[in-house]
Amino acid sequence: MDSRHIFGGAVAAFLFGFVVLYSSRRREKIKASEKTRTKKKLKSSGNGVCRSNFAGNTDVIIVGAGVAGSALAYALAKLGLEDCLDGCDSQTVFSFAAVHKDGRRSAISYPSNASGRGFHYGRFVKKLREKAVSLPNVKLEQGTVTSLVEENGSIKGVLYKTKAGQELAASASLTIVCDGCFSNLRSNLCSPKIEVPSYSVGLVLEDYDLPYANRAYFILKDTIAIAYPISSNEIRCLVDVPGPKPPSISTGEMASYLKTVVAPQMPPELYNAFICAIDKGNIRTMPNKIMPASSYPTPGAFLIGDSLNMRHSVTGGGMTVGLSDVVLLRDLLRPLNDLSNAASICKYLESFCVLRKPSAFAINTLASTLHTVFSSSDQDPARKEMKEAFFNYLSLGGVFSDGLMALLSGLNTDPLSLFFHCFAMLAYAVGSLLLPFPTPKRMCIAARLILVGSGIIFPILKAEGIRATFFPATMPAYYRTPPVQSTGRRETGK
């Protein structure tokens, strides 16, 4: 990620973490005694709640100080975040080694001399927060946001509780919610339909001896796993455990599962380090949540990142989509110098969901497709052939592997390119079955393969929205223009 080409911005924000960006204009007050009509149990600032005493006037409240929230706070106020990857022992990743069931490997590089970065999440977020709060118009306030505040049909800010237990209210012209996959505010701003097909189990591997440096591993066997360097002497390994409930860590079920089921599928150079990591017991689990973007226009509030849209973690695309959301929202807000007209700003920002579709669609679709294909049982011959075809397609190299890697990494955001590769893989699988001599059995498997493949792709496409994905120019929101701004206010944050 070259953040010089990703971040920049114009208006001032509020990082709750959580973040606040200020401008010089007067901040709207939330009256503690005022009772307002609420929608979906949105709260007013009720009796006994103090108004937060921030030194300045707030333009934007950003709920969530993770990667997206911290990056957005800085992007709205200034430029450049590339140096946040320095000083935290982050590792450059040039290629993936895809390891297949029978031990075959295929080296897959990023196209156009691009590279990825692996790092400790906490170290990176700390750097982002430090970078954001280094600006005079950004304030980091640590607390738990309990609800949004609504007044006359618009969101006016948030209620939050400090570490000391004090309940406070903070107001702003625009509240941006990006508090991650466990968001407790998204239900006020969208109709979430969340699916949890599996869990990711994470371990940190040490004391390994790798034949190649700067390479990640993508293990496509009976279990899906990904391993990549996060420091000069550590590798993070994420294992996909299917089902609605993972084995218990406290009872030792998880350790037994990892040793007996997963460890035998690890590459030999990672096996001993994997067993040692299990014995150390520092095992973490996280639900893999899938949620299509489905926000509805709400004056004064906005959703981005995992709060808005989630995909399976098998491709690690969540951060890519979140940062793409940051860039897009920054560009949309850049021409504005006045956020006080919540209704007009809300109408204008309806274009966000249409404009973000290409960048999010490919990553969402590939993540869901890959997990569906490789988490299925080999008892179905069609699914077995599909797994084989996917690995062989990557092994072709050239435009085939480069095209998929460009889509996975967000370097290519063309939905038609994804459509081409999905059906090229399907055609490759069918061709491998029928050539050189088709038999009745193989023809039946090929027909089944086409049905299974279509049954995976088209439901995902329907959930993402066919019209918005392939024909965005036909959507009314595509042509939104910035609202007419008041000339009586001073533009800030540039």
Side-chain angles (χ1 to χ4, degrees):
M1 176 188 70
D2 187 346
S3 56
R4 289 173 299 180
H5 301 294
I6 292 180
F7 300 107
V11 278
F14 197 174
L15 193 58
F16 267 114
F18 104 93
V19 179
V20 188
L21 275 72
Y22 300 108
S23 76
S24 60
R25 65 175 178 268
R26 185 182 179 186
R27 181 164 50 107
E28 294 184 67
K29 296 180 179 179
I30 300 179
K31 298 180 180 178
S33 61
E34 185 175 19
K35 296 181 180 180
T36 61
R37 181 171 55 86
T38 64
K39 176 177 72 174
K40 280 205 169 188
K41 297 184 178 179
L42 296 182
K43 297 181 180 180
S44 69
S45 56
N47 292 327
V49 178
C50 299
R51 184 167 63 84
S52 185
N53 184 26
F54 293 118
N57 299 306
T58 308
D59 272 337
V60 182
I61 292 176
I62 302 174
V63 181
V67 171
S70 301
L72 180 61
Y74 194 86
L76 292 178
K78 203 173 172 61
L79 287 172
L81 284 172
E82 187 178 21
D83 59 346
C84 291
L85 289 167
D86 300 331
C88 59
D89 201 16
S90 66
Q91 301 296 298
T92 302
V93 177
F94 294 109
S95 66
F96 278 82
V99 183
H100 196 249
K101 187 174 183 178
D102 59 6
R104 289 182 296 156
R105 300 190 183 201
S106 178
I108 312 162
S109 300
Y110 288 101
S112 305
N113 297 318
S115 62
R117 298 291 284 268
F119 45 79
H120 276 276
Y121 178 84
R123 296 177 188 175
F124 182 52
V125 170
K126 181 182 178 183
K127 287 272 189 178
L128 287 174
R129 291 176 180 174
E130 290 173 351
K131 189 81 170 178
V133 298
S134 68
L135 301 175
N137 57 342
V138 176
K139 178 180 176 64
L140 174 66
E141 182 78 4
Q142 297 189 16
T144 301
V145 177
T146 56
S147 65
L148 301 174
V149 178
E150 183 188 81
E151 182 180 305
N152 300 325
S154 295
I155 303 302
K156 296 297 184 180
V158 298
L159 299 181
Y160 70 102
K161 185 176 292 186
T162 66
K163 285 186 175 181
Q166 185 182 14
E167 292 185 344
L168 298 174
S171 62
S173 299
L174 180 62
T175 298
I176 301 173
V177 176
C178 49
D179 52 348
C181 63
F182 296 106
S183 173
N184 65 334
L185 300 178
R186 70 160 64 96
S187 60
N188 297 308
L189 304 173
C190 73
S191 302
K193 296 179 181 179
I194 301 175
E195 177 189 355
V196 182
S198 65
Y199 278 72
S200 282
V201 178
L203 304 97
V204 175
L205 280 55
E206 301 173 332
D207 302 322
Y208 47 83
D209 185 19
L210 299 180
Y212 303 100
N214 305 107
R215 174 179 287 187
Y217 290 81
F218 201 15
I219 297 128
L220 304 173
K221 297 189 177 183
D222 293 332
T223 297
I224 306 173
I226 184 171
Y228 54 94
I230 57 173
S231 73
S232 55
N233 63 343
E234 294 171 306
I235 285 179
R236 176 179 292 122
C237 183
L238 296 176
V239 178
D240 184 72
V241 178
K245 186 177 180 181
S248 171
I249 295 177
S250 59
T251 62
E253 291 180 73
M254 179 63 77
S256 176
Y257 174 85
L258 293 174
K259 285 184 176 181
T260 58
V261 177
V262 181
Q265 303 179 55
M266 287 288 117
E269 57 266 36
L270 293 179
Y271 179 84
N272 290 334
F274 188 77
I275 295 295
C276 289
I278 298 171
D279 291 337
K280 287 181 180 179
N282 191 19
I283 303 171
R284 297 288 183 266
T285 63
M286 173 74 78
N288 289 312
K289 297 185 176 183
I290 300 175
M291 185 186 77
S294 59
S295 63
Y296 45 74
T298 305
F302 205 69
L303 283 168
I304 69 166
D306 283 350
S307 300
L308 170 66
N309 176 212
M310 295 181 286
R311 77 289 312 146
H312 196 281
S313 66
V314 65
T315 58
M319 198 175 296
T320 302
V321 175
L323 291 175
S324 296
D325 284 352
V326 168
V327 174
L328 177 56
L329 185 58
R330 174 209 65 184
D331 291 343
L332 288 173
L333 294 179
R334 174 176 283 163
L336 306 180
N337 56 39
D338 182 7
L339 302 176
S340 61
N341 190 331
S344 63
I345 298 298
C346 178
K347 190 74 173 175
Y348 168 60
L349 290 180
E350 286 179 7
S351 61
F352 174 83
C353 286
V354 177
L355 296 174
R356 77 180 292 275
K357 184 63 67 174
S359 60
F361 171 74
I363 295 174
N364 292 349
T365 302
L366 282 173
S368 295
T369 301
L370 193 61
H371 178 259
T372 302
V373 170
F374 281 92
S375 64
S376 60
S377 171
D378 282 347
Q379 293 179 355
D380 185 341
R383 290 184 181 270
K384 183 178 180 180
E385 290 294 336
M386 196 173 294
K387 292 181 183 181
E388 189 75 17
F390 183 88
F391 181 82
N392 290 338
Y393 189 85
L394 286 177
S395 302
L396 292 174
V399 66
F400 305 103
S401 62
D402 285 356
L404 282 178
M405 288 300 290
L407 290 164
L408 279 171
S409 59
L411 296 173
N412 181 1
T413 61
D414 185 3
L416 290 176
S417 180
L418 173 65
F419 206 66
F420 164 79
H421 283 286
C422 285
F423 282 93
M425 274 190 286
L426 197 57
Y428 181 86
V430 171
S432 299
L433 274 170
L434 299 182
L435 297 176
F437 303 108
T439 63
K441 181 180 179 180
R442 288 181 170 229
M443 291 176 68
C444 288
I445 296 176
R448 167 73 179 158
L449 194 150
I450 294 173
L451 289 174
V452 170
S454 301
I456 293 173
I457 295 294
F458 285 110
I460 298 172
L461 184 58
K462 181 180 178 182
E464 291 288 336
I466 295 176
R467 183 185 176 191
T469 300
F470 293 101
F471 311 104
T474 67
M475 305 287 288
Y478 186 81
Y479 300 98
R480 295 283 188 265
T481 56
V484 177
Q485 298 284 282
S486 170
T487 57
R489 296 184 186 273
R490 180 170 63 88
E491 189 171 358
T492 64
K494 289 190 175 180

